[in-house]
Amino acid sequence: MDAVRTVGLTKIYGQDVVGVEDLTLRVEVGESFGFVGPNGSGKTTTIRLLMDFLRPTRGSAHVLGLGAHTHSLAVRRRVGFLPGDLALYPDLTGRGTLDFFARLRADREPCLREQLLEQLDFPAEALRRRVATYSTGMRQKLGLTVALQHDPELAILDEPTTGLDPLVRRSFHDTIRDWLRRGRTLFLSSHDIGEVEALCKRVCVLREGHIVADDETAKLRAAGAPGASLEDAILSFYKRT
Amino acid sequence: MTFRTLSTFYLRRHRLAFWLPLVFLLLHQVLFLYIFRLITGDPETATAMNTLMPDFVRDLMGMPEFDFRKPAHFLGMYYIRLEVRALILVFGVTIASNVIAGEVGRGTGDLLFSHPIRRHTAVLAGVAVVALQLCTVVLVLLAGLGLGATVFPMGAGQPGVNELLPSMGSLALGSFATVLLCFVAGSLCNSRAQAVGWGMAIVVCPIILKALSNANPDIGYVSWIFPEHWYRPHHILWHRDLPELPGLPFRRYTLANTWWPLAITSPIALFVAMLAADRRDLAK
């Protein structure tokens, strides 16, 4: 079974603004998959189509073997999602936020919550404070805990470490690596190639709504100029016309 | 489960907007009954007020024979028609604009709807909170008027439960139908400000149109599509002493002439709001 499969997935905004076009993609269960591309290339649109926030113009999307739209509720039961532009309820406390979202998944216990909070070095005292008082890093940590606390089969993370300092970023990576050892699937959209290289075995490069490269991280690096980094190899796909 | 979680969540987030109007309502009831006592206690003032009230205001109200001295008239004009309805509608617009449009506008909808929740469940949870406030308002009104009237009796012609109950029913149903239209706007808009704007337009435009059509029957037809046209809690009070009022038996108590369009409009509006929420793209 594939964790994510899209066939000819297309989203046109309005009359002629292409979000993604004819996107055919396959991510296997247990894979850690990186999704990269310049701004406006269609990464977030693809993720929003998978989460059933947007309805496709054409084509189909399946998540964990279920139609992203037709079985949206069942899909969302099994997926953890961290939005790129994370917004939390500022008047709730950290604990209140975790409890609220856990209650929305009544069928699954938040079994990883305490472990995640510890790994992310989230101060216990902060859980009693309102989210409005949190720094960006604290909010991201809380968001990641919300996404993973029920141990989902697939995590879709949209630029999870943007704007975070290197220390917080490292704790994020360690936490996600630990979680991946449970045999889970990661779909990671990021601008940080280093992050993708650190966490993902396979990378897909998107440009102007189309896939321009899709291969294992090591192979993509090897395909570049001798001695070039993965970042150089991927950036060359950004520029090609 | 998600329905209960969401409705509790909305209620908690808007607890101030929920409770403040009720406190205001209680205080206002005492003030209202006190003012009525002042007016009726001084016949000269009452007569002067009746004389000074311009004809066009009476026409806008749709009540040419309005008399400040009559408890039912006073109650219908100052109490049931304006303040109470305004309080209910402000709360209704607050919730309706928050459920889908507010979540999308703030960006909190991404995390919320990534959980296994149907969007129409969120709409229903919001509607349930509004319905709860409506019931509480009606109870506070009835209890407050009952208790207040023992302290400041309104004298002869004081409306009884037989008049107040159907009035409150009409108040609740009329306001509810209007709020449901606001939920439709809330399900379609991309930001809370936009939804509040549309909600206020849905609330205010029919009131203006209805008032204008009262004054000029030639344009009466423009207001019939709005709940405001069918919303007449004051009607029962104002016409309570008109036994020749035509209509079905018990018309006065069942509001047979006014409830059915609202009873049809409300489920349709709710259905459209739910459908719009489910089918829309969640994007600013």
Side-chain angles (χ1 to χ4, degrees), chain A residues 11 48 52-53 76 89, chain B residues 103 113 119 278 281-282:
Chain A
K11 178 67 183 177
R48 298 182 78 80
D52 194 37
F53 293 163
R76 284 179 281 148
Y89 299 104
Chain B
E103 298 286 358
F113 294 113
R119 294 179 211 163
D278 278 340
D281 279 348
L282 280 187

Side-chain angles (χ1 to χ4, degrees), chain A residues 11 48 51-55 73 76-77 81 83 87-89 91-92 100-101 103-106 146, chain B residues 1-2 5 9 13 103 106-108 110-119 278-279 281-283:
Chain A
K11 178 67 183 177
R48 298 182 78 80
M51 294 304 298
D52 194 37
F53 293 163
L54 302 177
R55 304 287 149 75
L73 212 60
R76 284 179 281 148
R77 270 197 194 100
F81 175 60
L88 298 163
Y89 299 104
D91 48 338
L92 288 183
F100 170 63
F101 285 111
R103 274 197 297 273
L104 294 176
R105 293 185 193 273
V146 168
Chain B
M1 184 65 181
T2 49
T5 305
F9 176 64
R13 291 202 78 206
E103 298 286 358
R106 280 192 306 268
T108 44
D110 283 1
L111 198 56
L112 180 67
F113 294 113
S114 73
H115 287 72
I117 307 165
R118 291 186 201 280
R119 294 179 211 163
D278 278 340
R279 292 183 70 89
D281 279 348
L282 280 187

Side-chain angles (χ1 to χ4, degrees), chain B residues 159-232:
Chain B
V161 174
N162 277 350
E163 285 83 30
L164 284 174
L165 211 55
S167 286
M168 301 301 170
S170 178
L171 168 86
L173 196 55
S175 308
F176 194 55
T178 308
V179 170
L180 288 175
L181 289 177
C182 298
F183 270 95
V184 174
S187 291
L188 291 168
C189 291
N190 289 331
S191 74
R192 189 166 191 197
Q194 213 177 27
V196 167
W198 278 105
M200 292 313 287
I202 288 167
V203 167
V204 174
C205 288
I207 293 172
I208 294 171
L209 286 174
K210 181 70 183 132
L212 290 175
S213 67
N214 281 340
N216 182 2
D218 288 344
I219 58 162
Y221 63 91
V222 296
S223 70
W224 72 270
I225 53 166
F226 297 102
E228 170 63 17
H229 181 81
W230 309 99
Y231 169 79
R232 307 181 213 173

Side-chain angles (χ1 to χ4, degrees), chain A:
Chain A
M1 185 180 64
D2 297 323
V4 174
R5 182 163 55 86
T6 67
V7 180
L9 191 65
T10 302
K11 178 67 183 177
I12 311 283
Y13 294 104
Q15 293 297 309
D16 52 2
V17 179
V18 177
V20 288
E21 193 170 27
D22 205 19
L23 195 81
T24 299
L25 188 70
R26 207 176 141 204
V27 180
E28 285 175 22
V29 168
E31 200 171 12
S32 48
F33 179 82
F35 204 46
V36 299
N39 289 329
S41 57
K43 301 186 297 295
T44 299
T45 297
T46 308
I47 287 175
R48 298 182 78 80
L49 286 163
L50 294 175
M51 294 304 298
D52 194 37
F53 293 163
L54 302 177
R55 304 287 149 75
T57 310
R58 287 191 301 276
S60 66
H62 285 77
V63 179
L64 298 166
L66 301 164
H69 174 54
T70 52
H71 295 87
S72 161
L73 212 60
V75 166
R76 284 179 281 148
R77 270 197 194 100
R78 297 163 64 184
V79 173
F81 175 60
L82 182 65
D85 200 4
L86 176 68
L88 298 163
Y89 299 104
D91 48 338
L92 288 183
T93 61
R95 178 72 67 189
T97 303
L98 293 171
D99 287 343
F100 170 63
F101 285 111
R103 274 197 297 273
L104 294 176
R105 293 185 193 273
D107 55 330
R108 292 178 94 131
E109 286 295 309
C111 52
L112 293 185
R113 182 193 291 184
E114 299 309 323
Q115 186 188 327
L116 287 165
L117 291 172
E118 197 184 319
Q119 280 177 328
L120 290 167
D121 200 20
F122 200 94
E125 151 286 314
L127 286 174
R128 291 189 291 274
R129 278 197 279 124
R130 290 168 68 229
V131 169
T133 65
Y134 285 12
S135 64
T136 311
M138 297 264 284
R139 279 179 211 195
Q140 285 297 109
K141 285 178 180 181
L142 192 66
L144 188 68
T145 310
V146 168
L148 300 183
Q149 65 175 341
H150 60 284
D151 192 17
E153 292 165 54
L154 164 69
I156 299 180
L157 310 181
D158 191 4
E159 297 175 24
T161 58
T162 304
L164 300 185
D165 68 55
L167 210 61
V168 179
R169 198 177 298 179
R170 181 175 290 177
S171 74
F172 252 68
H173 293 170
D174 291 344
T175 306
I176 292 169
R177 255 189 232 106
D178 261 14
W179 176 77
L180 280 171
R181 282 188 201 109
R182 304 170 72 89
R184 304 309 193 194
T185 311
L186 174 69
F187 190 104
L188 173 74
S189 161
S190 181
H191 279 301
D192 183 348
I193 311 290
E195 177 172 82
V196 172
E197 190 170 18
L199 294 173
C200 303
K201 297 240 163 50
R202 200 178 123 213
V203 187
C204 175
V205 186
L206 207 63
R207 196 185 62 219
E208 293 169 3
H210 297 88
I211 294 174
V212 291
D214 182 0
D215 214 335
E216 285 175 21
T217 318
K219 285 184 183 168
L220 270 182
R221 194 190 306 112
S229 63
L230 179 68
E231 185 164 325
D232 293 331
I234 286 177
L235 288 181
S236 70
F237 286 109
Y238 282 24
K239 291 173 194 158
R240 278 182 211 172
T241 53

Side-chain angles (χ1 to χ4, degrees), chain B:
Chain B
M1 184 65 181
T2 49
F3 171 80
R4 204 173 63 191
T5 305
L6 281 174
S7 45
T8 312
F9 176 64
Y10 291 140
L11 195 58
R12 276 175 139 185
R13 291 202 78 206
H14 298 96
R15 55 187 178 275
L16 205 61
F18 185 91
W19 290 111
L20 265 184
L22 298 177
V23 173
F24 173 80
L25 218 55
L26 275 171
L27 295 174
H28 185 261
Q29 275 172 316
V30 177
L31 187 66
F32 162 77
L33 293 168
Y34 178 67
I35 289 172
F36 182 77
R37 288 242 324 160
L38 286 181
I39 292 172
T40 51
D42 182 358
E44 280 182 28
T45 306
T47 310
M49 284 178 77
N50 275 333
T51 315
L52 284 172
M53 190 174 195
D55 285 344
F56 80 91
V57 174
R58 293 169 186 273
D59 289 341
L60 285 175
M61 286 160 51
M63 187 64 180
E65 69 274 28
F66 184 83
D67 187 344
F68 276 102
R69 291 165 298 191
K70 290 190 175 176
H73 288 196
F74 194 74
L75 194 68
M77 178 195 177
Y78 281 119
Y79 206 71
I80 291 174
R81 279 203 82 187
L82 294 173
E83 289 90 339
V84 179
R85 185 178 48 182
L87 289 176
I88 293 171
L89 291 177
V90 165
F91 183 73
V93 170
T94 304
I95 298 284
S97 61
N98 200 33
V99 168
I100 299 291
E103 298 286 358
V104 172
R106 280 192 306 268
T108 44
D110 283 1
L111 198 56
L112 180 67
F113 294 113
S114 73
H115 287 72
I117 307 165
R118 291 186 201 280
R119 294 179 211 163
H120 71 243
T121 308
V123 174
L124 280 174
V127 169
V129 171
V130 173
L132 179 69
Q133 208 230 17
L134 265 176
C135 294
T136 317
V137 164
V138 168
L139 284 175
V140 166
L141 278 175
L142 287 172
L145 281 175
L147 290 171
T150 58
V151 182
F152 302 114
M154 298 181 88
Q158 177 173 308
V161 174
N162 277 350
E163 285 83 30
L164 284 174
L165 211 55
S167 286
M168 301 301 170
S170 178
L171 168 86
L173 196 55
S175 308
F176 194 55
T178 308
V179 170
L180 288 175
L181 289 177
C182 298
F183 270 95
V184 174
S187 291
L188 291 168
C189 291
N190 289 331
S191 74
R192 189 166 191 197
Q194 213 177 27
V196 167
W198 278 105
M200 292 313 287
I202 288 167
V203 167
V204 174
C205 288
I207 293 172
I208 294 171
L209 286 174
K210 181 70 183 132
L212 290 175
S213 67
N214 281 340
N216 182 2
D218 288 344
I219 58 162
Y221 63 91
V222 296
S223 70
W224 72 270
I225 53 166
F226 297 102
E228 170 63 17
H229 181 81
W230 309 99
Y231 169 79
R232 307 181 213 173
H234 57 292
H235 195 265
I236 293 290
L237 297 174
W238 286 1
H239 295 290
R240 65 193 291 267
D241 48 357
L242 297 175
E244 72 277 13
L245 191 74
L248 299 167
F250 310 114
R251 176 183 171 184
R252 181 179 304 167
Y253 303 111
T254 60
L255 287 174
N257 63 330
T258 58
W259 69 267
W260 65 266
L262 296 179
I264 293 171
T265 314
S266 301
I268 292 174
L270 179 60
F271 177 73
V272 173
M274 288 163 61
L275 196 70
D278 278 340
R279 292 183 70 89
R280 63 167 291 165
D281 279 348
L282 280 187
K284 289 182 196 177

